[in-house]
Amino acid sequence: MSVISTTVLVFALYGIFACFSTNGEVEKPVWTWECRESRCEKVPAGEGEAQSLAACRLSCDPWATLWPQPRGGLQRTPGRLVALSPYSVSVEAAGRDLQPAVRQLLQEAGRIFHRRVERKARVHSKQARADAGRGSLFVTLSVTDGHTRSYHTDTSEAYSLSISEVTPGRVNAAVTADTFFGARHALETLFQLTVYDDIKKQLLLLSDINLSDSPAFPHRAIALDTARSYFSVDSIKRTIDAMAANKLNTFHWHITDSHSFPFVSETFPKLSQYGAYSPEKVYTPDDIKSLVEYARVRGVRIIPEFDAPAHVGEGWQWVGDNATVCFKADPWSQYCVEPPCGQLNPTSEKMYRVLSGIYKDMLNVFDSDVFHMGGDEVNMNCWNTSEVITDWMDANGIPRTEEGLHELWDRFQSRAYSLLVEANGKKELPVILWTSTLTDVAHVDKYIDNKRYILQIWTRGTDLVIPELIKKGFRVIFSNYDALYFDCGFGAWIGSGNNWCSPYIGWQKVYDNNVWDLLSLFGIDVGEGSEARKLVLGSEAALWSEQADESALDGRLWPRAAALAERLWTDPKDDWKSAEHRFLIQRQRLVDEGIAADTIEPEWCLQNQGHCYA
Amino acid sequence: MSVISTTVLVFALYGIFACFSTNGEVEKPVWTWECRESRCEKVPAGEGEAQSLAACRLSCDPWATLWPQPRGGLQRTPGRLVALSPYSVSVEAAGRDLQPAVRQLLQEAGRIFHRRVERKARVHSKQARADAGRGSLFVTLSVTDGHTRSYHTDTSEAYSLSISEVTPGRVNAAVTADTFFGARHALETLFQLTVYDDIKKQLLLLSDINLSDSPAFPHRAIALDTARSYFSVDSIKRTIDAMAANKLNTFHWHITDSHSFPFVSETFPKLSQYGAYSPEKVYTPDDIKSLVEYARVRGVRIIPEFDAPAHVGEGWQWVGDNATVCFKADPWSQYCVEPPCGQLNPTSEKMYRVLSGIYKDMLNVFDSDVFHMGGDEVNMNCWNTSEVITDWMDANGIPRTEEGLHELWDRFQSRAYSLLVEANGKKELPVILWTSTLTDVAHVDKYIDNKRYILQIWTRGTDLVIPELIKKGFRVIFSNYDALYFDCGFGAWIGSGNNWCSPYIGWQKVYDNNVWDLLSLFGIDVGEGSEARKLVLGSEAALWSEQADESALDGRLWPRAAALAERLWTDPKDDWKSAEHRFLIQRQRLVDEGIAADTIEPEWCLQNQGHCYA
């Protein structure tokens, strides 16, 4: 129903604008853009017909301005632009053995594509002419795997796309893909091959193009912390829209922390009642389920994180009985990395009962093939100064040494993992942990099983532990903070000066964060077929939200996460310099779709290709 | 008419929400805030009635959470909170000899106040109860100067405000001020003394309070560059709203630059036709006039800048005949500080004819007591390598030395000033110039008259030229980039790494940018009544927009410009630490009014006063 009403609205608006434009006089453009050596040059329009920047770029750019750049070949007839009616777009699902659920996903992805094409015509100009662009677009989505509707790390995202004008004004776009996820990516590519021409006031589609494409890495992610700041469900949806537009496929949800507990647990609702910033700042089971479906149809899976045993606090006051220790400890710097402190008490049975409920509730509302158990920044001094814990250690013969405290942590981790498996219907599932002292060279062999655990690296890309983990056969995800912590570079929030991981990370650094280069520096073999190629699942940009709430969300993530997206999808050989032209266009695409992406360069650089950069 | 429809809408919404809330069951709050030693402590609610954070803060804070902190005394009865109906607010203008235009300003300021009070009730909760808060507020604005409707540097902005509950539920707020501008500031203060109580679901007003207030500095400004990026008229209005909420009084509009020419000149409309980023990205005379009026009623004057003789380019292609030189010169680094280069040709008569028209058009649409002529970053090599200029210098016996080139610049500046005065009906007017080599110690005595020119300092606060300019009797405005350039700290836009003036400037540094401390370090007498006290007009935060378009606008400016606002209004003795509590509240106020202000700290710090900071 919403699709229908959108269409009606669009028709109505177009009617009004058409009236205006026939009454008004359109100034003849002063400038035109000409394709010269694969670049668009701004030159005086003269007497001839002017060409818009958008039309020039689409037909002139060797990669048809696609972001991320496709990995397979791209064959094209330069400059085949077809004027398109935004109302003459149809998307059909095809494929043998198509399960109804998968057919539904394909159809919904088609509707989303159509809505966005219509909006592209609408957003760009109030003077769009109803009579401009008579061409029709027929899209066929053919999928061989008619069953897969949840993304797993080994799910194929490959697709091929072939666009041709079969008769004048009729364009066919044939998509073939292994799965729904590949087919959806093809629609994203197709969407980027349409532009609004602000001189001709019409939509254009680049036709006569064939490409095949698939991602280099299976794990292409953003991590969002919704505990230091709360983000509305709508703003998370907007984030997923932007991820989809960049073919990022994983939203890692750091949903709770010491600061707040917005997750509404069905078993223990008091946790969020005590722990949320306000009764409205929560995520109900329905919110989460709707987000999981919203993300699925956009090719994004949501991985929940319940960070433990550190990074807890608010909400657990209700549990009482020393289920947590050190909460709000003073001075905080002795018990944690930032206020407020708080850690689970690994000796509390009541704590495990609550934890078990949380796991059960999370697995119930998320549909993820993997669970993130957190595990970062455990403060040994917190446990070692909590009498309830030290008494237990003494009673159980565990020495109050660094080794003893790690043994305690291991007991927690092992028990927590068992509870998770039990909550998962006794089925084992892969688990992600942040790197920590438990996963460092001194402890990892003793405590961490590489079959069970995937490690997320958050230290610098030059950390010596990285090659060791690879050598030990651990699957890893890179979130090295020197390139992928998007909260870095702002003012300090405790004291003055700049925050701990300053300076700000520009998109260029994100783009050039090539894990193969990092590993090569350590002498790790990263050749095709090497062990390392199997172990590196991908990367995640992380937005910790001490200094980024909903007001700052879009600008912190975008367009930098788009730079990450091309790094992970395309794994380009070249550095950011050869991507800069297309990156400015991709940033503009995000803005046009309602994402308040940060500004990279003056608009002058977008209009004068090659005059700001090499 | 818009006021009426707003009110009707509000009533309608309240009706709906009232229905919802009577059906729904409200959870008893888990937490309450208690006032202890002038701070609000979050504690378990227990059986008693819970108090909201907002109510606690307003009644508990020694400064009633006001931002900027009032300069005069503040007498109050702690905790006198009156429940207010957002519909029972009236604002009346009073004063002998009130000119109709001033009366109209006062009335419009009153309507704005009323709309914002209504919105405060609406924004905060969907569960607001129509029956909550029966109190009425009667505001009287008494103004002694019934004529002044334009802000000048010597205009009084002082006001006093007295709020008392005269009978139960009826609150009178008596405002007395010299001018409209002071009275408007009083309404801003009064607005901050209302809060929405999210537990009682009603508006509260702090009553029984008297204060008198006036700013320390007359020039409290934001400079916005609308040439590197275009900003819509709506986004500029939003910026002015936020300025008003912080009692900033001057919007310095850097409207054109080499990158684009969005100013629509009535005399030479081709300038923007050639020079704007697009036909829509312009400021028409009507746009500007409406902005001037929009700003006026919010206590903000708009100062236009036409930056010359450097920082020109786009738009001037139309003029031709070498009116400009070096435009798009390559490699840019030899001819300017960033691409594209471009400078006026001071030997071109045609250029002066166009310049004269621009001045006339600008003076026509802006209503400013002062004009900004720019004058920054003239590149001597640009002129010295332009044959049309060097030929002229040779013919006129001006040596092609640094001195000769400064003489050329002086000829331009003198001629341009004459044209400006002529365009101003032959009336002299004060002019602002950026500091430059023309205003440095070697040249300033020869070329710059301290009666005519106000100098805007953009170099570091420790620049040795600063005490020299003060000693020479120049009026100055501080925009020292190390504290007041809000574009600093992001990624580079030419090449990699971070931009030139990194790192990012936190609000603490903005707040602590005390010009008296800076001048004292140079041994300048800054005692009361000193010459320096007369010469420093104030400060400006500048947003250069190479890397900040409309998407980034709010987050770059706010809340940091609010830190500047208190520095300039209050001139506090203490540093940022004692302002932190109130600053978090002011940032939240801006967000509640629709400004996407950047995030300073986790919400946890707002809710747990004193646990994140000292």
Side-chain angles (χ1 to χ4, degrees):
Chain A
M1 199 186 88
S2 74
V3 178
I4 294 168
S5 58
T6 307
T7 313
V8 171
L9 177 66
V10 175
F11 268 111
L13 288 171
Y14 266 76
I16 292 164
F17 296 144
C19 292
F20 282 142
S21 78
T22 51
N23 293 340
E25 197 182 333
V26 179
E27 292 263 18
K28 191 175 169 341
V30 169
W31 303 106
T32 187
W33 277 265
E34 286 181 4
C35 184
R36 296 175 184 171
E37 296 174 8
S38 300
R39 286 187 180 182
C40 289
E41 189 78 22
K42 181 182 166 191
V43 294
E47 292 308 307
E49 198 181 13
Q51 179 173 232
S52 71
L53 174 62
C56 181
R57 280 286 176 92
L58 185 59
S59 60
C60 180
D61 183 79
W63 289 100
T65 74
L66 291 172
W67 190 279
Q69 192 176 297
R71 276 218 306 164
L74 184 155
Q75 295 87 39
R76 52 183 294 205
T77 311
R80 286 294 304 128
L81 297 177
V82 178
L84 197 69
S85 161
Y87 322 116
S88 299
V89 173
S90 82
V91 184
E92 252 177 45
R96 291 175 44 169
D97 299 327
L98 217 50
Q99 295 293 305
V102 174
R103 179 180 296 278
Q104 214 178 319
L105 281 176
L106 288 164
Q107 285 168 339
E108 180 58 15
R111 278 191 289 271
I112 293 167
F113 170 78
H114 193 180
R115 274 206 298 275
R116 290 169 71 201
V117 169
E118 287 177 346
R119 190 170 54 180
K120 191 177 274 192
R122 229 178 331 144
V123 160
H124 272 82
S125 174
K126 292 177 179 167
Q127 301 145 14
R129 286 154 50 196
D131 60 343
R134 287 292 184 195
S136 306
L137 172 63
F138 295 83
V139 186
T140 321
L141 306 175
S142 302
V143 167
T144 47
D145 168 354
H147 295 75
T148 297
R149 66 182 297 276
S150 297
Y151 180 78
H152 296 248
T153 299
D154 57 358
T155 301
S156 165
E157 296 175 272
Y159 70 91
S160 67
L161 169 64
S162 175
I163 310 176
S164 55
E165 193 176 6
V166 284
T167 58
R170 182 192 158 113
V171 179
N172 282 2
V175 171
T176 56
D178 295 325
T179 68
F180 158 73
F181 295 95
R184 196 218 67 87
H185 291 322
L187 287 175
E188 213 60 64
T189 300
L190 185 60
F191 180 71
Q192 294 189 357
L193 296 175
T194 65
V195 296
Y196 182 76
D197 183 320
D198 60 4
I199 290 179
K200 294 187 179 153
K201 313 290 183 202
Q202 61 189 15
L203 267 184
L204 299 177
L205 169 68
L206 187 69
S207 184
D208 296 15
I209 179 169
N210 296 298
L211 62 94
S212 62
D213 200 7
S214 65
F217 291 92
H219 189 101
R220 306 183 306 280
I222 284 175
L224 183 66
D225 160 16
T226 62
R228 275 64 174 258
S229 288
Y230 176 83
F231 298 87
S232 70
V233 170
D234 278 350
S235 73
I236 295 176
K237 286 184 176 170
R238 199 170 68 237
T239 301
I240 287 166
D241 289 342
M243 290 178 67
N246 288 283
K247 301 191 176 84
L248 290 168
N249 67 359
T250 299
F251 180 79
H252 163 186
W253 194 345
H254 182 91
I255 195 167
T256 61
D257 211 298
S258 303
H259 301 68
S260 77
F261 200 110
F263 173 75
V264 177
S265 156
E266 287 187 284
T267 311
F268 300 113
K270 292 270 181 198
L271 286 166
S272 53
Q273 205 186 326
Y274 276 70
Y277 280 136
S278 79
E280 293 80 31
K281 292 186 170 175
V282 294
Y283 304 106
T284 66
D286 283 348
D287 288 338
I288 295 171
K289 285 179 195 164
S290 87
L291 273 169
V292 167
E293 293 310 314
Y294 188 92
R296 185 197 309 279
V297 73
R298 286 159 182 83
V300 177
R301 72 165 157 184
I302 301 184
I303 296 180
E305 174 181 356
F306 183 75
D307 198 353
H311 292 276
V312 300
E314 290 287 348
W316 289 81
Q317 300 104 327
W318 159 72
V319 182
D321 292 337
N322 290 317
T324 56
V325 289
C326 309
F327 182 52
K328 277 177 138 177
D330 186 44
W332 57 264
S333 56
Q334 294 184 20
Y335 306 96
C336 63
V337 294
E338 69 183 43
C341 300
Q343 286 182 191
L344 295 180
N345 171 1
T347 72
S348 160
E349 286 305 314
K350 192 167 184 185
M351 180 279 286
Y352 287 112
R353 281 202 297 282
V354 175
L355 190 63
S356 171
I358 292 169
Y359 288 151
K360 191 169 65 77
D361 295 334
M362 284 197 169
L363 290 169
N364 194 32
V365 291
F366 289 97
D367 170 43
S368 178
D369 60 316
V370 51
F371 193 89
H372 202 308
M373 295 182 77
D376 67 332
E377 297 179 323
V378 170
N379 184 298
M380 294 303 175
N381 190 54
C382 162
W383 281 345
N384 207 17
T385 53
S386 298
E387 213 175 286
V388 60
I389 291 173
T390 52
D391 284 355
W392 186 92
M393 289 174 79
D394 294 343
N396 286 269
I398 300 178
R400 288 173 55 190
T401 59
E402 208 201 305
E403 278 318 299
L405 289 157
H406 277 87
E407 199 183 314
L408 185 69
W409 185 355
D410 170 61
R411 286 183 183 222
F412 166 80
Q413 184 57 41
S414 302
R415 176 104 180 250
Y417 182 78
S418 303
L419 294 175
L420 182 73
V421 170
E422 200 178 291
N424 195 40
K426 304 204 168 141
K427 283 199 307 285
E428 295 247 338
L429 77 170
V431 159
I432 308 176
L433 281 181
W434 293 102
T435 50
S436 67
T437 55
L438 199 67
T439 72
D440 69 15
V441 180
H443 301 114
V444 72
D445 288 332
K446 189 166 171 193
Y447 298 127
I448 306 292
D449 175 0
N450 69 12
K451 298 285 171 292
R452 177 176 293 171
Y453 289 104
I454 299 162
L455 299 181
Q456 184 164 7
I457 296 157
W458 69 268
T459 48
R460 299 183 73 88
T462 51
D463 187 349
L464 293 172
V465 81
I466 297 172
E468 298 305 320
L469 295 177
I470 294 289
K471 284 178 200 158
K472 290 175 192 295
F474 278 97
R475 289 161 293 170
V476 296
I477 296 161
F478 276 79
S479 292
N480 50 308
Y481 76 79
D482 51 337
L484 295 173
Y485 270 26
F486 285 0
D487 50 315
C488 300
F490 293 85
W493 65 273
I494 305 172
S496 56
N498 291 81
N499 64 17
W500 73 275
C501 55
S502 290
Y504 181 87
I505 298 161
W507 74 273
Q508 301 95 328
K509 201 164 183 182
V510 178
Y511 193 90
D512 288 353
N513 190 54
N514 184 331
V515 297
W516 306 133
D517 289 350
L518 293 174
L519 292 177
S520 296
L521 286 174
F522 293 120
I524 300 281
D525 173 16
V526 296
E528 287 306 325
S530 63
E531 198 59 21
R533 293 265 164 182
K534 289 175 211 142
L535 293 173
V536 179
L537 302 183
S539 299
E540 284 188 19
L543 182 57
W544 302 108
S545 63
E546 287 89 348
Q547 298 183 282
D549 67 9
E550 192 158 333
S551 297
L553 177 65
D554 290 14
R556 291 285 199 282
L557 285 179
W558 309 105
R560 291 184 293 172
L564 174 71
E566 178 152 303
R567 168 54 51 203
L568 294 174
W569 179 280
T570 313
D571 194 17
K573 298 258 175 302
D574 298 327
D575 71 6
W576 61 271
K577 289 188 203 75
S578 37
E580 187 164 7
H581 303 185
R582 280 181 302 106
F583 190 65
L584 293 183
I585 291 174
Q586 179 68 353
R587 186 263 168 184
Q588 193 55 49
R589 280 193 193 108
L590 291 170
V591 171
D592 290 342
E593 292 223 75
I595 310 298
D598 210 346
T599 318
I600 297 300
E601 298 179 15
E603 186 165 353
W604 195 86
C605 300
L606 183 71
Q607 297 191 353
N608 293 271
Q609 198 178 0
H611 288 271
C612 288
Y613 33 72
Chain B
M1 200 187 90
S2 75
V3 177
I4 292 167
S5 58
T6 306
T7 312
V8 170
L9 176 69
V10 174
F11 268 111
L13 287 170
Y14 266 76
I16 293 165
F17 296 142
C19 293
F20 281 142
S21 79
T22 50
N23 293 338
E25 196 182 334
V26 179
E27 292 263 20
K28 192 175 167 345
V30 169
W31 303 106
T32 186
W33 277 264
E34 285 181 4
C35 184
R36 294 176 184 170
E37 294 174 11
S38 300
R39 287 187 180 181
C40 290
E41 190 79 23
K42 182 183 167 191
V43 294
E47 294 308 307
E49 196 180 16
Q51 177 170 234
S52 70
L53 173 63
C56 181
R57 280 287 175 94
L58 184 60
S59 61
C60 180
D61 183 79
W63 290 100
T65 75
L66 290 173
W67 190 279
Q69 191 174 298
R71 276 218 306 162
L74 185 154
Q75 295 87 39
R76 53 184 292 205
T77 312
R80 285 294 303 126
L81 297 177
V82 178
L84 198 68
S85 161
Y87 322 115
S88 298
V89 173
S90 82
V91 184
E92 249 177 49
R96 290 175 44 171
D97 298 326
L98 218 49
Q99 295 291 305
V102 174
R103 178 180 296 279
Q104 213 178 318
L105 280 176
L106 288 164
Q107 286 169 339
E108 179 59 16
R111 279 191 289 269
I112 293 167
F113 170 79
H114 192 180
R115 273 205 298 275
R116 290 169 71 201
V117 169
E118 286 178 347
R119 190 169 55 180
K120 190 177 276 192
R122 229 181 327 146
V123 161
H124 273 81
S125 175
K126 292 175 179 169
Q127 303 147 11
R129 284 153 49 195
D131 61 341
R134 287 293 185 194
S136 306
L137 172 64
F138 294 83
V139 186
T140 322
L141 307 175
S142 303
V143 166
T144 48
D145 168 354
H147 295 74
T148 297
R149 67 183 297 276
S150 297
Y151 180 77
H152 297 248
T153 299
D154 57 358
T155 300
S156 165
E157 297 174 270
Y159 69 90
S160 66
L161 169 64
S162 176
I163 309 176
S164 54
E165 193 176 7
V166 284
T167 58
R170 180 189 161 116
V171 179
N172 282 2
V175 171
T176 55
D178 296 325
T179 68
F180 157 73
F181 295 95
R184 197 218 67 87
H185 290 321
L187 287 176
E188 212 62 63
T189 300
L190 185 58
F191 181 71
Q192 294 189 356
L193 296 174
T194 65
V195 296
Y196 182 76
D197 183 320
D198 61 3
I199 291 179
K200 294 186 179 154
K201 313 290 183 203
Q202 61 189 15
L203 268 183
L204 299 177
L205 169 69
L206 187 69
S207 184
D208 297 14
I209 177 168
N210 296 298
L211 63 94
S212 61
D213 200 7
S214 65
F217 293 92
H219 190 101
R220 307 183 306 281
I222 284 176
L224 183 67
D225 161 16
T226 63
R228 275 63 173 261
S229 288
Y230 176 83
F231 298 87
S232 69
V233 170
D234 278 351
S235 73
I236 296 176
K237 285 184 176 171
R238 197 170 68 237
T239 301
I240 287 166
D241 289 342
M243 290 178 68
N246 288 283
K247 301 190 176 84
L248 290 168
N249 67 0
T250 299
F251 179 79
H252 163 186
W253 194 347
H254 182 90
I255 194 167
T256 61
D257 212 297
S258 303
H259 301 68
S260 76
F261 200 111
F263 173 73
V264 176
S265 157
E266 288 188 283
T267 313
F268 301 114
K270 292 271 180 196
L271 286 165
S272 53
Q273 206 186 325
Y274 276 70
Y277 281 134
S278 78
E280 293 80 31
K281 292 186 169 175
V282 293
Y283 304 106
T284 66
D286 282 349
D287 288 338
I288 295 171
K289 285 178 194 163
S290 87
L291 273 168
V292 166
E293 293 311 313
Y294 188 92
R296 187 198 308 282
V297 73
R298 286 159 181 83
V300 177
R301 71 165 158 185
I302 301 185
I303 296 179
E305 173 181 358
F306 183 76
D307 198 352
H311 292 278
V312 298
E314 290 287 348
W316 289 81
Q317 300 104 325
W318 159 72
V319 182
D321 292 338
N322 290 316
T324 56
V325 289
C326 309
F327 181 53
K328 277 176 137 176
D330 185 46
W332 59 263
S333 57
Q334 293 184 20
Y335 306 97
C336 64
V337 294
E338 68 183 44
C341 301
Q343 286 182 192
L344 295 180
N345 171 2
T347 74
S348 161
E349 286 306 313
K350 194 167 181 184
M351 179 278 286
Y352 286 112
R353 281 203 299 280
V354 176
L355 190 62
S356 171
I358 292 168
Y359 288 151
K360 192 170 65 78
D361 296 334
M362 285 198 169
L363 289 169
N364 196 31
V365 292
F366 289 96
D367 171 43
S368 177
D369 60 316
V370 51
F371 193 89
H372 202 307
M373 294 182 78
D376 68 332
E377 296 179 322
V378 170
N379 184 299
M380 293 304 175
N381 190 54
C382 161
W383 280 346
N384 207 16
T385 53
S386 299
E387 213 175 285
V388 60
I389 291 173
T390 54
D391 284 356
W392 185 93
M393 291 174 80
D394 292 344
N396 286 269
I398 300 177
R400 290 172 56 189
T401 58
E402 208 202 305
E403 277 318 299
L405 288 157
H406 278 87
E407 199 182 314
L408 185 69
W409 185 355
D410 170 60
R411 284 182 184 223
F412 166 81
Q413 184 56 42
S414 300
R415 178 104 178 252
Y417 183 78
S418 302
L419 294 175
L420 182 73
V421 170
E422 200 178 289
N424 195 40
K426 305 205 165 139
K427 285 200 304 287
E428 296 247 339
L429 76 170
V431 160
I432 307 175
L433 281 180
W434 293 103
T435 49
S436 67
T437 56
L438 199 68
T439 72
D440 69 14
V441 180
H443 300 114
V444 72
D445 288 333
K446 191 167 169 191
Y447 297 127
I448 307 293
D449 175 359
N450 71 11
K451 298 286 171 296
R452 178 177 293 169
Y453 290 103
I454 298 161
L455 300 181
Q456 185 165 6
I457 296 157
W458 70 267
T459 48
R460 299 183 74 89
T462 51
D463 187 348
L464 293 172
V465 81
I466 298 171
E468 298 305 320
L469 294 177
I470 294 288
K471 284 178 200 158
K472 289 174 192 296
F474 279 96
R475 289 162 293 170
V476 297
I477 295 160
F478 277 79
S479 290
N480 50 308
Y481 77 79
D482 52 335
L484 295 173
Y485 270 26
F486 285 0
D487 49 316
C488 299
F490 293 87
W493 63 274
I494 304 173
S496 56
N498 291 80
N499 63 18
W500 73 275
C501 55
S502 290
Y504 181 88
I505 298 160
W507 75 272
Q508 301 95 328
K509 201 164 183 183
V510 178
Y511 193 89
D512 287 353
N513 189 55
N514 183 331
V515 298
W516 306 133
D517 289 351
L518 293 174
L519 291 176
S520 296
L521 287 174
F522 293 120
I524 300 281
D525 173 18
V526 297
E528 288 304 326
S530 64
E531 199 57 22
R533 292 265 164 183
K534 289 174 212 144
L535 293 174
V536 179
L537 302 182
S539 300
E540 284 188 19
L543 183 57
W544 303 107
S545 63
E546 288 88 349
Q547 298 183 280
D549 66 9
E550 193 158 333
S551 296
L553 177 64
D554 290 15
R556 292 285 199 283
L557 285 178
W558 309 105
R560 291 184 293 172
L564 174 71
E566 179 152 301
R567 169 53 51 202
L568 294 173
W569 180 279
T570 314
D571 194 16
K573 298 259 176 301
D574 297 327
D575 71 7
W576 61 269
K577 288 186 204 76
S578 36
E580 188 164 6
H581 303 185
R582 281 181 302 107
F583 190 65
L584 293 183
I585 291 175
Q586 179 69 352
R587 186 263 169 185
Q588 193 55 48
R589 280 192 192 109
L590 291 171
V591 171
D592 290 342
E593 292 224 74
I595 311 297
D598 210 345
T599 319
I600 297 300
E601 296 178 15
E603 186 164 352
W604 195 86
C605 299
L606 183 72
Q607 296 191 354
N608 292 272
Q609 197 177 0
H611 288 271
C612 288
Y613 33 72

